[in-house]
């Protein structure tokens, strides 16, 4: 799995039920690749050669992550049923088109393992957003219980399971604006533990203006990406008076408020994704939901940094068993679909 934060590849080996993470490995993207992918998100004008080269580079890194994981876990490739590879999203227009690179044929070739890739397009072809897909896995992890999952990746997505019904959608930004702002102002990849933001104060006028964006009020099904929530989007709201640090703090509040507005009171909330390490973001989520119990997915024995990766192992297993993985009530697709393309070994 690789998400919109463009930090790198999360790889896991799971048990045959796809519930227990047996081994995990994070392989960061090289700086140059991260910059190339960032430029692509910033400026979608590019050429086919560049995309083809990136497709190969990303596939090689995914395969490397898988091979390193196997080596470290001392598990032979022949004991692995399949790889479920989400790939790296370079373009997402929910309901229209969603493009992940890191092609499955090369991953399969370089690992010797059957690879399932390109999970989103079957849902989109059926009229869905193609996202979020993980609610089905979140429901599976809850095993019949009610609960709320919030994945704090570049973009945040929420899954609300109540009485066996599932609602899920992207709430908006989690880390992407925070990461991009601190990168622009301090040349850092992210705000370690939310410390920089913690030294600033929320600019209430700016926060109100940002929250007035149409995306936050739209009814689900909905999904979004970094081609929408990026510094260009933010700059339209900025004035000369706001300090850099106040903007960082306000962006953190934007993530916390836009997520919290969808958390039903009294929920059991399980956080996952890299944002669980942003102590201030977690603190703000807790204080905005005083009647809910906010923990991480570790409470369900699922490492919060690797839940989303485990979800794609589960989806690959579903696909190989000719079973669907999308939830039409979440994505808006006409009906369920078997997701992904299989590159068999
Ligand atoms: N110690 C930390 N402090 C603050 N933020 C962190 C920390 N560790 C990770 N993050 C955030 O988590 C992000 C990565 O989260 P991840 O779940 O991998 O997102 P994605 O799925 O979009 O790749 C980083 O870009 C960063 O914003
Ligand atoms: Mg990531």
């Amino acid at each position: 799995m690789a998400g919109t934060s463009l930090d790198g590849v999360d790889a896991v080996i799971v048990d045959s039920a796809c519930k227990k993470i047996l081994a995990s490995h994070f392989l960061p993207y090289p700086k140059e690749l991260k910059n190339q992918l960032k430029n692509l998100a910033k400026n979608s004008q590019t050429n086919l050669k560049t995309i083809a080269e990136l497709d190969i580079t990303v596939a090689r890194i995914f395969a490397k992550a898988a091979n390193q994981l196997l080596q470290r876990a001392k598990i032979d490739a022949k004991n692995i049923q399949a790889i479920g590879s989400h790939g790296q999203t370079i373009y997402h227009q929910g309901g229209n088109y969603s493009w992940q690179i890191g092609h499955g044929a090369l991953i399969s070739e370089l690992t010797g393992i059957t690879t399932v890739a390109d999970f989103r397009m079957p849902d989109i072809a059926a009229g869905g957003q193609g996202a979020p897909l993980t609610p089905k896995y979140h429901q599976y992890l809850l095993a019949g219980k009610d609960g709320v999952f919030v994945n704090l990746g570049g973009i945040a997505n929420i899954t609300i399971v109540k009485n066996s019904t599932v609602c899920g959608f992207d709430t908006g930004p989690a880390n992407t604006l925070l990461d991009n702002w601190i990168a622009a102002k301090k040349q850092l990849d992210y705000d370690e533990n939310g410390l920089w933001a913690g030294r600033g104060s929320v600019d209430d006028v700016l926060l109100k203006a940002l929250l007035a964006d149409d995306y936050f009020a739209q009814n689900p099904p909905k999904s979004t990406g970094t081609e929408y929530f990026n510094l260009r989007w933010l700059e339209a709201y900025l004035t000369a008076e706001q300090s850099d640090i106040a903007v960082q703090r306000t962006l953190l509040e934007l993530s916390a408020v836009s997520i919290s507005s969808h958390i039903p009171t009294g929920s059991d909330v399980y956080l996952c994704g890299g944002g669980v390490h942003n102590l201030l973001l977690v603190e703000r989520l807790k204080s905005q939901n005083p009647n809910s119990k906010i923990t991480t997915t570790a409470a369900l024995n699922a490492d919060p940094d690797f839940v989303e990766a485990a979800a794609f192992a589960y989806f690959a297993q579903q696909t190989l068993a000719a079973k669907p993985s999308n939830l039409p009530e979440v994505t808006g697709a006409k009906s369920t679909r078997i997701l992904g393309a299989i590159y068999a070994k």
Side-chain angles (χ1 to χ4, degrees):
M1 175 74 204
T4 46
S5 294
L6 305 175
D7 54 337
V9 187
D10 303 315
V12 292
I13 299 173
V14 292
D15 68 343
S16 57
C18 296
K19 274 202 170 156
K20 199 164 168 226
I21 296 173
L22 304 175
S24 61
H25 177 48
F26 172 65
L27 182 61
Y29 279 157
K31 219 168 183 65
E32 194 194 334
L33 175 62
K34 182 170 177 160
N35 286 338
Q36 282 174 305
L37 291 167
K38 259 188 166 180
N39 285 340
L40 208 57
K42 226 187 283 174
N43 170 19
S44 56
Q45 299 292 317
T46 184
N47 58 58
L48 294 172
K49 184 166 178 277
T50 304
I51 295 181
E53 282 169 4
L54 281 172
D55 199 12
I56 296 165
T57 306
V58 172
R60 286 191 183 283
I61 289 182
F62 269 66
K64 187 173 171 186
N67 286 331
Q68 285 184 345
L69 173 61
L70 288 166
Q71 211 173 16
R72 284 173 196 200
K74 299 191 169 56
I75 293 177
D76 197 282
K78 68 175 188 299
N79 296 318
I80 303 292
Q81 187 194 4
I83 292 175
S85 176
H86 174 267
Q88 177 64 60
T89 298
I90 55 165
Y91 184 75
H92 180 78
Q93 291 273 294
N96 182 32
Y97 198 81
S98 188
W99 191 355
Q100 285 75 43
I101 58 168
H103 67 92
L106 188 54
I107 296 174
S108 173
E109 197 58 42
L110 294 174
T111 58
I113 300 170
T114 292
T115 298
V116 186
D118 200 14
F119 287 91
R120 299 194 187 274
M121 284 306 272
D123 181 80
I124 289 196
Q129 289 285 311
L133 297 177
T134 46
K136 184 172 175 83
Y137 185 64
H138 297 156
Q139 183 185 30
Y140 178 63
L141 283 182
L142 283 170
K145 280 185 302 195
D146 288 350
V148 174
F149 277 68
V150 179
N151 174 38
L152 302 167
I155 299 292
N157 60 277
I158 192 167
T159 302
I160 302 161
V161 181
K162 199 168 166 61
N163 303 326
S164 300
T165 63
V166 187
C167 166
F169 52 91
D170 290 346
T171 60
N175 297 303
T176 188
L177 295 171
L178 295 170
D179 288 354
N180 284 316
W181 186 252
I182 201 167
K185 298 300 161 186
K186 291 171 79 80
Q187 290 74 52
L188 293 170
D189 280 341
Y190 58 84
D191 182 12
E192 184 88 42
N193 303 336
L195 284 177
W196 190 46
R199 293 187 0 237
S201 313
V202 176
D203 181 323
D204 290 319
V205 176
L206 175 61
L207 178 64
K208 197 163 169 237
L210 298 174
L211 282 168
D213 183 275
D214 285 348
Y215 183 79
F216 300 114
Q218 261 171 41
N219 288 323
K222 62 176 179 175
S223 61
T224 189
T226 51
E227 48 286 283
Y228 188 74
F229 287 110
N230 53 36
L231 290 190
R232 234 179 310 119
W233 175 84
L234 174 66
E235 270 150 20
Y237 297 94
L238 297 183
T239 63
E241 284 121 62
Q242 294 133 353
S243 67
D244 293 348
I245 197 167
V247 172
Q248 186 78 9
R249 179 65 186 86
T250 306
L251 290 174
L252 186 141
E253 200 67 10
L254 172 71
S255 297
V257 173
S258 56
I259 292 165
S260 293
S261 68
H262 299 291
I263 296 177
T265 326
S267 306
D268 287 324
V269 182
Y270 305 98
L271 304 177
C272 60
V276 299
H277 303 290
N278 187 321
L279 304 179
L280 184 58
L281 180 58
V282 174
E283 187 189 305
R284 294 305 297 142
L285 287 168
K286 284 184 175 165
S287 76
Q288 284 165 25
N289 298 278
N291 300 315
S292 292
K293 189 169 159 234
I294 301 202
T295 55
T296 73
T297 54
L300 298 169
N301 292 320
D303 182 336
D305 284 317
F306 291 99
V307 175
E308 304 298 288
F312 283 87
Y314 173 65
F315 297 153
Q317 189 181 61
Q318 290 281 107
T319 303
L320 291 172
K323 290 182 186 161
S325 298
N326 63 334
L327 294 175
E329 63 272 36
V330 169
T331 64
K334 280 200 284 276
S335 57
T336 58
R337 289 290 181 273
I338 300 166
L339 304 184
I342 302 170
Y343 297 88
K345 258 316 204 204

